[in-house]
Structure formats: structure tokens, C-alpha cells
Amino acid sequence: MNKIKSYILNGQGLGIKYLAALAILASLVFAIFVRVEGASYIPYAQEVAEQMLPIKIVDGKIVEPLNTFKMAQIRVEGKSSPLALPLVLDTRVSNLDANLLPEGVYVTRTNIYTVTKNQIKVIKFEGDNYLPKGDYTEVFKSWLNWSAFILGVCGIVLLFVLYFILTMFYALCAQLIAKIARRDMNFECRMRLCALVLVAAYIIFLPLSFIGINSTLLFFAAVICALAWFIIKCAPCKVCAQAEAKIEVVEKKAQPTAKKPAPHKAKTAVKKEEVKADVKDVVAEKKEEPKAHTPAKKKPGRKPAAKKVVKKATQASKTAKTKAENK
């Protein structure tokens, strides 16, 4: 809980990485669900293909089968009579009044009509084509795989945009909740808060929806607001957070820290020690070397200093004797 509060109050960004992770997870789960559940409908699709085919088109018109009316049906386990599908092949006519048709797909001699509550589409046949009767199981599996992949990729983008818009909406709601709870939170803090709360809510409700437990949008929004209220109420106010931060800074400064020499000083000290060691080695080598005895060169015309001293001493002793005799 402390890490969550620290991220909300002192974190960076708007929590986009969590929304992106949620979008990827939800899209991946949806794509897997489509692939797994769709595989169970492939036998029914093959059954419908066997009923409707073969179809031969020449110059934009169906020539085989002619003057035929077929409605697709599938046999469902547990039911005695087959289930009729909204797929009709009627080559007795070329055009239909689509406004009078119920929802479904209608194939005539020259057109395909798709009728829904919102719109009606008409597709005209062109050129030549032939769809023989056969086993299309592998074709249906390939279509299913590509459909799951495309839905998964598109779902990541669409869900991320949806989650970001919902986070901004709940951030506005969190502003009102923060005022009621007497907490001062800026927009970025509220966005991080609502991003985490939205992710938590979807992690709770998505597994429940797959097992058949669905919830209304009002209940979902109420749960998100309740989680936001709980976190905002537990979060410290801005003044308290600043005071705690100052206390931490003071405690860090009060702790004794061993002073480490600067890197350049340490390098110079190492170099000095190395130079001293080299000098000592050189001096020791010079001392160990034997000295070569070379005869001293005597300069002509000069006497050594020691002889002068001896001469002066003898003269002084002679003068002292003569003085003693005279006395």
C-alpha cells in the first residue's frame, strides 16, 4: 500500500504504461476466446456450405442452380428439428425489395442483400466465378485464425483509447472525491490513481464476465469510485508528504558518512608513492655498487694541507723550547 501511495503522490507520468498493459492483456484474451470458441462453429459452417453449393456465376449472373430456393439450416444437439438461419438463396428472381425483408443475408440471381436494423447493403455480382461443393474446413480455419489476429491487433489500439478516455473521466470524479476527503491532488496524481484503480477493476470484473457473472456500468463505476475514495482517504495530504520528505532529507544528512578521497587526489598520491619507491630503489642500488679506487692526481707546486699543519706545530714547539731556556 505504501508503494502505491508513493507512486500516486511522487511518481511520474499519467499511468499510461498500465493502461497499455491492460489493453494488450484484454485484446490477447479476446483473440484467444474468438479462436477457441470459433473452432466449435466450423462444422456448422461446413454444413451450410454443403447445403448452398455449388454456385456458378457467368457474366454477373448465377446460372447454377437456377430457379432454386434454399434456406440454410443446421442441426443442433439436443433439438429434434434443425435450426433455420437467416441465409437464403433464391435464384428465381434477380431483385428483391429489401425494405420488406427481415434481418439476414439474401442471395438472388444477380445481387447479395445484407439487411440489418441500421442499414441495407446491396452487392452486385461481376464477372465469372465458380464455387464447387467440397470440404472447406481448412479454409474456415484460416479465416478464423486471421480474424482472431486482426481483432487482437485492432483491439489493442481501440481498447487503449477507450481506457485513456475512461481514466480522464474518472480523474474528474476523483477531483470531487479529493475535495470531499480534504486532500490536495493535482491532475497527474489523479490520473495515476484512476489508471491503477481502472486496471484493478478490470482485473476483477473480466474473469467474472467470462464465467457468466456480468455487472452493469453503474455498478462498475461505483466500484471504481469506491476504490478511489479508499486510496485518497488513506493517502497523506500534500503538507504531510512534504514534511515527511524534509524529515527524510535531514535524517540522511545526519548519518555519518566516510569521506572518500577525490579520484584525482587519489591518483596523485599513488603516483607520489610510486616515485618514492623508485628513488629508494635507485639509492639502494648505488650504495651496493663497489667504488672504484682511482689514484688522486697531485697538482704540481702545491703541498698537501696536512703537511702544513705538521710544520706549523713543530715550529710552535721549537719556539716554546727556546723561550723556556732563556728563562
Side-chain angles (χ1 to χ4, degrees), residues 213-226:
I213 302 175
N214 296 319
S215 61
T216 61
L217 292 176
L218 183 61
F219 180 72
F220 184 78
V223 170
I224 290 179
C225 291

Side-chain angles (χ1 to χ4, degrees), residues 268-288:
T268 54
V270 171
K271 289 182 179 180
K272 289 181 178 179
E273 293 295 331
E274 291 178 354
V275 170
K276 289 180 179 179
D278 294 338
V279 171
K280 289 180 180 180
D281 294 338
V282 171
V283 171
E285 289 177 358
K286 288 184 176 181
K287 287 182 178 180
E288 290 176 358

Side-chain angles (χ1 to χ4, degrees), residues 57-63 110 125-129:
I57 302 172
V58 178
D59 293 333
K61 293 181 180 180
I62 295 178
V63 296
T110 57
F125 293 122
E126 294 180 358
D128 301 338
N129 200 354

Side-chain angles (χ1 to χ4, degrees), residues 21-321:
L22 178 62
I24 293 171
L25 178 62
S27 299
L28 181 62
V29 171
F30 180 70
I32 294 173
F33 177 78
V34 170
R35 177 63 183 85
V36 173
E37 291 296 322
S40 61
Y41 292 96
I42 290 178
Y44 298 117
Q46 178 62 31
E47 185 179 353
V48 171
E50 291 176 356
Q51 295 175 16
M52 295 295 173
L53 299 179
I55 295 176
K56 186 176 182 180
I57 302 172
V58 178
D59 293 333
K61 293 181 180 180
I62 295 178
V63 296
E64 183 186 350
L66 282 174
N67 300 321
T68 304
F69 178 85
K70 294 181 180 179
M71 179 178 286
Q73 296 177 346
I74 57 173
R75 298 183 180 277
V76 182
E77 295 181 1
K79 291 186 178 182
S80 58
S81 59
L83 178 64
L85 298 177
L87 176 60
V88 176
L89 174 65
D90 190 358
T91 57
R92 298 173 300 177
V93 295
S94 297
N95 298 309
L96 293 173
D97 187 1
N99 295 320
L100 302 177
L101 297 175
E103 293 184 5
V105 179
Y106 301 87
V107 181
T108 65
R109 191 180 301 168
T110 57
N111 302 318
I112 298 176
Y113 297 86
T114 58
V115 182
T116 60
K117 291 181 180 180
N118 300 324
Q119 62 180 355
I120 298 172
K121 288 185 178 181
V122 181
I123 303 172
K124 291 185 178 182
F125 293 122
E126 294 180 358
D128 301 338
N129 200 354
Y130 180 65
L131 295 175
K133 191 174 184 178
D135 187 4
Y136 290 90
T137 302
E138 295 299 324
V139 176
F140 292 140
K141 287 182 179 179
S142 178
W143 288 355
L144 181 61
N145 292 334
W146 280 106
S147 299
F149 176 76
I150 293 171
L151 288 174
V153 173
C154 296
I156 293 174
V157 179
L158 296 176
L159 289 177
F160 175 76
V161 174
L162 175 63
Y163 294 155
F164 187 77
I165 293 173
L166 288 175
T167 304
M168 293 183 67
F169 169 74
Y170 289 119
L172 295 175
C173 298
Q175 185 177 7
L176 178 61
I177 295 173
K179 288 183 179 180
I180 296 173
R182 295 180 180 179
R183 295 289 187 271
D184 185 13
M185 300 183 71
N186 56 23
F187 176 73
E188 293 183 355
C189 292
R190 286 185 277 113
M191 283 291 291
R192 290 192 291 268
L193 166 66
C194 294
L196 293 178
V197 170
L198 188 70
V199 170
Y202 271 107
I203 290 174
I204 294 172
F205 283 98
L206 275 178
L208 294 178
S209 64
F210 280 108
I211 62 176
I213 302 175
N214 296 319
S215 61
T216 61
L217 292 176
L218 183 61
F219 180 72
F220 184 78
V223 170
I224 290 179
C225 291
L227 290 173
W229 166 267
F230 174 74
I231 295 176
I232 290 173
K233 194 68 177 176
C234 293
C237 62
K238 189 174 182 180
V239 177
C240 297
Q242 291 178 354
E244 290 179 357
K246 290 181 179 179
I247 291 171
E248 290 180 358
V249 171
V250 172
E251 289 179 351
K252 287 181 180 179
K253 289 183 178 180
Q255 291 178 356
T257 55
K259 292 184 178 180
K260 295 182 179 180
H264 64 279
K265 293 183 177 179
K267 290 181 180 179
T268 54
V270 171
K271 289 182 179 180
K272 289 181 178 179
E273 293 295 331
E274 291 178 354
V275 170
K276 289 180 179 179
D278 294 338
V279 171
K280 289 180 180 180
D281 294 338
V282 171
V283 171
E285 289 177 358
K286 288 184 176 181
K287 287 182 178 180
E288 290 176 358
E289 290 179 357
K291 294 183 180 180
H293 296 282
T294 56
K297 295 181 180 180
K298 296 182 179 180
K299 293 182 179 181
R302 290 186 179 182
K303 294 181 180 180
K307 290 182 178 182
K308 291 181 179 181
V309 174
V310 174
K311 188 176 181 180
K312 288 180 180 181
T314 52
Q315 289 179 356
S317 60
K318 286 180 179 181
T319 53
K321 286 180 180 181

